[in-house]
Amino acid sequence: MDNNLSDAVSILRVKEETSLIRTFVFDRSFVFSPGQFVMVWIPGVDEIPMALSSENTITVQKAGDATSAMFALGPGDRLGIRGPFGNGFTKGEKVLAIAGGVGAAPLLPLARADCVMTFLLGAQTEKELLFVDQLDECSDVLIATDDGSLGLNGYVTALMNDLNLGAYDRIAVCGPEVMMRAVLTKVEEKGIAHKTEFSLHRYMKCGVGVCGSCCIDPSGLRVCRDGPVFSGDLLLKSEFGHYMRDASGRKKNI
Ligand SMILES: Cc1cc2nc3c(=O)[nH]c(=O)nc-3n(C[C@H](O)[C@H](O)[C@H](O)COP(=O)(O)OP(=O)(O)OC[C@H]3O[C@@H](n4cnc5c(N)ncnc54)[C@H](O)[C@@H]3O)c2cc1C
Ligand code: FES
């Protein structure tokens, strides 16, 4: 297993997880902590941040130019990888994981490390749910879908209402920021924001703390170097859930 800061990998296999999400299996493994990310260079297109969903995979949702270009790649094609970078989720004995959509990607390795007691998994429909079988093997999984096609009919945050949140050591969260902000509001009401960790998705250029494009207001913390995983109490009075910046640095409402 290697841990070089920069290298080329070949794609061994591509797995279609849902209509919009694919897992790319590399011919190289990386030493990493669940929650850490790599910068993926798609030759001739762009370099983008992606969480490692295992030691040799990333799980990608089609969003724009770079991710669409990745969807045109297959076995034998090559990508540049820098990293792993950033911190990871804090491990604990009784962790509650909450994932929305492709947010399950950095939480799957946490569950595989036997760290997750309960996993709340949400998506718009049953067909968009990620990693259901793999998660079933390592945690107690509760499901919510927006259209009610599987599990609770509603948002994944509604599943929190039936749990004794105080019984968990840590709560690890990744998903759309609106959903993560809803989680933060709930845990703040219970006075346990400090036990909660959120993995932020922000536009990144350098990935190593130099360019400043991923700073969050008002602290100036850099998502690439100080995160991407942040404690809930650090995010309470921040831009989190309100706005983020695009490639030109302009604010974009969430
Ligand atoms: C630490 C980290 C880990 C990530 N892990 C994953 C992952 O495991 N799987 C996955 O599918 N995506 C992940 N992302 C998000 C991914 O980096 C973006 O979806 C990707 O950069 C979009 O590139 P694009 O050129 O395809 O789209 P663009 O054309 O750049 O953008 C399409 C849309 O996505 C938004 N966007 C662009 N960059 C980001 C970004 N970095 N975060 C959030 N929204 C963005 C744009 O504002 C726009 O609305 C992660 C982001 C970070 C910062
Ligand atoms: S991406 Fe350059 S400082 Fe974070």
Side-chain angles (χ1 to χ4, degrees):
M1 210 178 289
D2 300 314
N3 206 21
N4 294 348
L5 272 185
S6 173
D7 218 334
V9 298
S10 284
I11 296 169
L12 284 182
R13 213 167 50 250
V14 181
K15 182 177 178 211
E16 191 160 327
E17 305 279 6
T18 75
S19 61
L20 285 178
I21 302 177
R22 290 184 187 172
T23 292
F24 294 80
V25 183
F26 303 147
D27 65 343
R28 286 261 325 269
S29 295
F30 297 87
V31 177
F32 79 111
S33 295
Q36 282 194 296
F37 69 96
V38 288
M39 293 299 289
V40 182
W41 177 56
I42 303 108
V45 186
D46 203 353
E47 193 188 33
I48 54 171
M50 282 290 152
L52 284 161
S53 52
S54 81
E55 60 184 14
N56 67 338
T57 59
I58 55 172
T59 299
V60 180
Q61 176 158 23
K62 200 180 200 179
D65 290 351
T67 47
S68 298
M70 283 198 69
F71 270 47
L73 302 180
D77 288 325
R78 287 168 78 76
L79 294 165
I81 299 285
R82 288 192 291 131
F85 295 134
N87 58 5
F89 291 105
T90 307
K91 292 182 178 157
E93 287 192 3
K94 295 182 189 167
V95 177
L96 169 67
I98 309 176
V102 78
L107 292 169
L108 175 66
L110 193 67
R112 280 198 176 135
D114 270 345
C115 288
V116 176
M117 204 171 156
T118 313
F119 203 113
L120 309 187
L121 182 66
Q124 289 181 352
T125 71
E126 179 182 3
K127 285 185 175 160
E128 294 299 319
L129 285 164
L130 200 53
F131 305 141
V132 180
D133 292 351
Q134 295 179 67
L135 289 169
D136 259 344
E137 287 169 15
C138 38
S139 350
D140 185 14
V141 182
L142 303 175
I143 287 173
T145 49
D146 299 359
D147 67 355
S149 45
L150 192 70
L152 180 92
N153 185 347
Y155 295 136
V156 68
T157 43
L159 290 169
M160 296 168 71
N161 298 340
D162 295 331
L163 297 178
N164 174 11
L165 298 179
Y168 296 94
D169 301 335
R170 317 282 319 166
I171 301 178
V173 193
C174 190
E177 202 154 309
V178 173
M179 165 235 148
M180 292 203 287
R181 186 76 209 194
V183 172
L184 184 57
T185 303
K186 278 181 186 278
V187 294
E188 186 191 8
E189 283 164 11
K190 300 203 177 296
I192 53 168
H194 61 286
K195 281 192 186 181
T196 315
E197 290 181 327
F198 298 83
S199 178
L200 267 59
H201 284 187
R202 282 292 184 279
Y203 180 78
M204 287 184 182
K205 285 183 183 161
C206 70
V208 290
V210 176
C211 70
S213 61
C214 66
C215 289
I216 45 174
D217 294 337
S219 61
L221 287 170
R222 287 153 209 233
V223 175
C224 66
R225 193 194 56 191
D226 304 308
V229 176
F230 291 96
S231 162
D233 48 359
L234 265 179
L235 296 173
L236 277 173
K237 294 199 172 99
S238 77
E239 69 176 53
F240 178 67
H242 302 296
Y243 63 86
M244 58 172 73
R245 290 177 193 275
D246 66 15
S248 64
R250 261 196 308 269
K251 287 182 187 174
K252 197 179 87 173
N253 286 335
I254 287 169

